Amino acid sequence: MASLGSVIPAFTLSFLIFCGAVVAKGDVLELGDADFDYLAAEHETMLVKFYAPWCGHCKKLAPDFEAAATRLKGTVPLAKVDCTVSTEICGRFGVTGYPTLKIFRNGQDSSSYDGPRSADGIVNYMKKQAGPNSVTLHSEADLESFIDHFDASVVGFFSGPDSGQLAEFLKSASAMREHFRFAHTTHMALGLEHGLDTEGVLLVRPPRLNSKFEESVLRFTDAITTNTLRRFIRDNIFGMCPHLTIENRDKLKGRDLLTAYYDLDYLRNPKGSNYWRNRVMKVGSQFASQGLSFAVANRKDFLDELEEEFGLGASDGGDVPFVTIRTRQGFKYTMREEFTRDGKSLERFLQDYFAGRLKRYIKSEPIPEKNKGPVKVVVAESFEEIVNDPEKDVLIEFYAPWCGHCKSLEPKYKELAEQLYSDPNIVIAKMDATANDVPQGFDVFPTIYFSRAGKKDQPLRYEGAREVKDFIKFLKREASHVPVISGVREELKKLFLRGKKKEDCHPLKSSDLDDR
């Protein structure tokens, strides 16, 4: 039998190991194969990050994840699992890439986390995950407190706890809780003030965005199913002119969107923030039926994007909004006239847009003065002329100057172009995707596409091996004409010597070939 003296150290060691397993440095819990199941089961809701210590994306996420854990302490715990150590638990939950974030409820894998990965985004997203799928409201005070929120609110009103519509509402809330806020009540009288005298649902837009140009409360009285309620919320939640943020930007993609960027701050200056929004809405209401959506955003939140995508400097714009339009096809426009307080400049901008008089904004390098080398240099401004030439087959590489794969490909790609230089029907080209707008339909670097003559609206992504022989095999199969393979050196030498007297010839230099 072990002595007490030997038992105590053993117990102490086990306790220290146990503590080390569940308490990380900071407020993120560390879980592993030995303790994950019983510790995760203790929490109603938990966000777990599955990671590898060597993963660059994991390292980038770590500070935001830690900051979010501190802010959510006591509300929703955040935990992490090192998959290089805890292989069993990571394998069980199908983790194949890092970092993988999952939401657990009472120890069960509930769903993948598809929210923002900034500290603010994680906090806002996970606060919605805490507690029940739908909050029960008992009084007018409960209702007012719930709808007085930064985000929109979805509230159901039902005749009693046995209502079939309530059951469908709760099922819908469970399915959509990650994206919207839900509450319900069986006190029908609470809905009367908002014009609801039967079972139904109210969609209440954020109070800070209340405006005379649109209703702030919308009513839904059709039969409730998850699909019908989701459609109603999706079609109405943003209203005429939502507040575009880093967190909701993805939900506003896929539409033609005008955005006014300015010093917007609803926490410190709600009146000033709505000053310009009201002017956007006043003018926008005249064009509401023409398929263009509107939004306002804090310029500081999108400075990098505005500089990268629209060429806006940090000091440009001053106190007035900077206005852009981005279409679902990826076309971009900017309002160059200063936004006037009477809204007339915005009205003129929209009139020109719908009349087709605006010139698209294109981020482009200058068109090269010399472009006679084997690999043609394409920039955004010359893309239409070179790549979309209806008579040419074009193989184009989208690259980044710092991309290792692109650098490895360069000598092989140049050799391919040299072999095909004398072919009048095939162009081998490249474009710096970091310095030029890439047209819709093409993914960014490192990718290669084939644009066939006569089929310019159907670019084909090259997925094969990246040796010269593999490219040639591909072109023999896909090109509109049989490729002519000869070689650039001989062809350029003929061109160079033509018109020269033999005695004037000098040895060819690589610079001679590149410049012609």
Side-chain angles (χ1 to χ4, degrees):
M1 182 174 179
S3 66
L4 183 61
S6 63
V7 170
I8 291 177
F11 172 77
T12 303
L13 179 61
S14 298
F15 178 76
L16 291 174
I17 293 174
F18 171 79
C19 290
V22 300
V23 180
K25 182 180 180 181
D27 294 309
V28 178
L29 302 177
E30 287 186 6
L31 306 181
D33 286 342
D35 54 24
F36 185 93
D37 289 332
Y38 67 83
L39 287 174
E42 293 181 354
H43 300 282
E44 180 179 318
T45 305
M46 173 185 281
L47 177 61
V48 180
K49 175 182 70 172
F50 297 90
Y51 75 102
W54 47 260
C55 165
H57 292 295
C58 303
K59 293 176 182 177
K60 183 178 179 180
L61 174 62
D64 283 295
F65 199 75
E66 182 67 49
T70 300
R71 291 167 57 183
L72 287 168
K73 193 172 183 179
T75 304
V76 178
L78 270 58
K80 61 182 180 180
V81 176
D82 182 348
C83 289
T84 65
V85 176
S86 301
T87 55
E88 188 276 327
I89 203 72
C90 295
R92 192 203 311 172
F93 292 116
V95 177
T96 57
Y98 310 114
T100 294
L101 276 65
K102 288 180 174 288
I103 297 172
F104 286 80
R105 301 191 190 281
N106 301 309
Q108 299 298 311
D109 182 2
S110 175
S111 64
S112 296
Y113 173 89
D114 62 356
R117 298 204 171 189
S118 63
D120 288 341
I122 293 171
V123 169
N124 293 334
Y125 191 96
M126 291 309 300
K127 279 184 176 179
K128 297 176 184 177
Q129 306 304 310
N133 297 327
S134 177
V135 177
T136 303
L137 307 178
H138 300 285
S139 65
E140 181 68 28
D142 289 346
L143 175 60
E144 293 301 323
S145 176
F146 183 78
I147 64 178
D148 185 18
H149 197 273
F150 194 82
D151 294 322
S153 307
V154 183
V155 185
F157 298 80
F158 305 99
S159 58
D162 298 327
S163 167
Q165 288 286 273
L166 172 58
E168 288 295 327
F169 180 84
L170 294 177
K171 186 191 301 183
S172 302
S174 176
M176 295 185 283
R177 64 168 297 159
E178 295 177 14
H179 306 288
F180 310 112
R181 305 174 61 251
F182 292 89
H184 66 277
T185 183
T186 54
H187 298 277
M188 291 292 295
L190 296 180
L192 294 176
E193 184 178 337
H194 300 284
L196 193 66
D197 57 3
T198 184
E199 286 193 328
V201 177
L202 295 180
L203 172 59
V204 185
R205 291 176 178 141
R208 75 183 190 285
L209 300 181
N210 287 352
S211 169
K212 65 180 181 180
F213 296 104
E214 64 179 352
E215 294 184 57
S216 59
V217 180
L218 290 90
R219 287 163 285 280
F220 178 81
T221 55
D222 295 344
I224 297 173
T225 67
T226 299
N227 286 337
T228 59
L229 190 57
R230 178 185 285 116
R231 190 178 305 114
F232 168 73
I233 297 172
R234 182 195 63 203
D235 292 346
N236 295 285
I237 191 166
F238 288 119
M240 182 189 296
C241 186
H243 174 192
L244 177 70
T245 65
I246 299 297
E247 284 70 36
N248 69 16
R249 62 188 301 176
D250 288 342
K251 296 177 183 178
L252 289 166
K253 285 183 177 178
R255 61 180 72 189
D256 298 341
L257 182 65
L258 178 148
T259 307
Y261 299 89
Y262 56 98
D263 188 15
L264 181 151
D265 189 339
Y266 277 107
L267 294 178
R268 297 178 178 84
N269 186 17
K271 185 176 180 180
S273 296
N274 275 329
Y275 177 86
W276 289 113
R277 179 173 179 265
N278 286 336
R279 277 144 186 79
V280 172
M281 295 182 75
K282 181 179 180 180
V283 175
S285 62
Q286 303 173 37
F287 302 88
S289 62
Q290 299 193 45
L292 182 66
S293 300
F294 300 85
V296 294
N298 185 354
R299 190 196 327 245
K300 294 178 182 177
D301 292 341
F302 294 92
L303 272 180
D304 290 343
E305 177 179 310
L306 289 172
E307 180 179 357
E308 175 71 15
E309 298 293 328
F310 292 96
L312 180 73
S315 60
D316 292 342
D319 296 329
V320 299
F322 177 73
V323 178
T324 71
I325 293 177
R326 186 194 294 270
T327 70
R328 67 193 72 194
Q329 290 84 18
F331 298 159
K332 299 182 295 184
Y333 306 87
T334 61
M335 188 172 90
R336 292 305 178 184
E337 185 180 358
E338 185 174 287
F339 198 134
T340 55
R341 296 181 185 274
D342 60 6
K344 293 297 183 181
S345 60
L346 179 61
E347 185 175 343
R348 287 189 291 272
F349 176 66
L350 287 171
Q351 289 170 344
D352 288 343
Y353 170 72
F354 286 112
R357 293 191 291 264
L358 292 183
K359 182 180 179 181
R360 284 167 46 195
Y361 175 84
I362 300 177
K363 181 180 71 171
S364 178
E365 293 179 291
I367 296 177
E369 292 184 9
K370 295 182 179 180
N371 201 11
K372 298 294 185 180
V375 179
K376 304 304 177 188
V377 176
V378 176
V379 298
E381 291 283 6
S382 64
F383 190 93
E384 188 68 24
E385 177 187 352
I386 297 176
V387 181
N388 286 339
D389 183 339
E391 305 298 324
K392 303 288 187 181
D393 291 331
V394 182
L395 189 71
I396 181 166
E397 175 203 9
F398 296 99
Y399 72 96
W402 46 259
C403 168
H405 294 292
C406 306
K407 291 178 180 178
S408 299
L409 173 64
E410 186 174 2
K412 301 173 187 177
Y413 200 66
K414 185 176 181 181
E415 181 183 343
L416 170 69
E418 289 175 344
Q419 290 194 29
L420 293 168
Y421 187 84
S422 61
D423 191 323
N425 301 305
I426 295 180
V427 175
I428 307 299
K430 65 179 181 178
M431 180 166 127
D432 183 348
T434 67
N436 297 276
D437 280 340
V438 177
Q440 194 82 356
F442 297 88
D443 291 333
V444 293
F445 57 88
T447 54
I448 298 172
Y449 277 86
F450 180 66
S451 180
R452 192 178 190 273
K455 292 185 177 181
K456 295 301 178 177
D457 59 339
Q458 303 173 40
L460 178 63
R461 180 165 178 167
Y462 178 78
E463 302 283 5
R466 299 196 172 192
E467 298 295 332
V468 175
K469 61 181 179 63
D470 300 302
F471 286 120
I472 291 177
K473 182 179 179 181
F474 170 83
L475 291 171
K476 285 181 177 179
R477 184 177 70 248
E478 300 292 344
S480 61
H481 298 75
V482 177
V484 177
I485 301 171
S486 59
V488 66
R489 297 287 163 177
E490 292 75 10
E491 187 67 23
L492 286 179
K493 188 174 181 180
K494 292 176 184 177
L495 292 172
F496 186 81
L497 294 176
R498 188 176 301 156
K500 289 269 190 179
K501 292 182 178 179
K502 187 175 181 180
E503 61 270 23
D504 294 333
C505 292
H506 58 77
L508 287 178
K509 303 176 184 178
S510 60
S511 58
D512 294 328
L513 301 180
D514 290 338
D515 287 343
R516 293 193 65 84

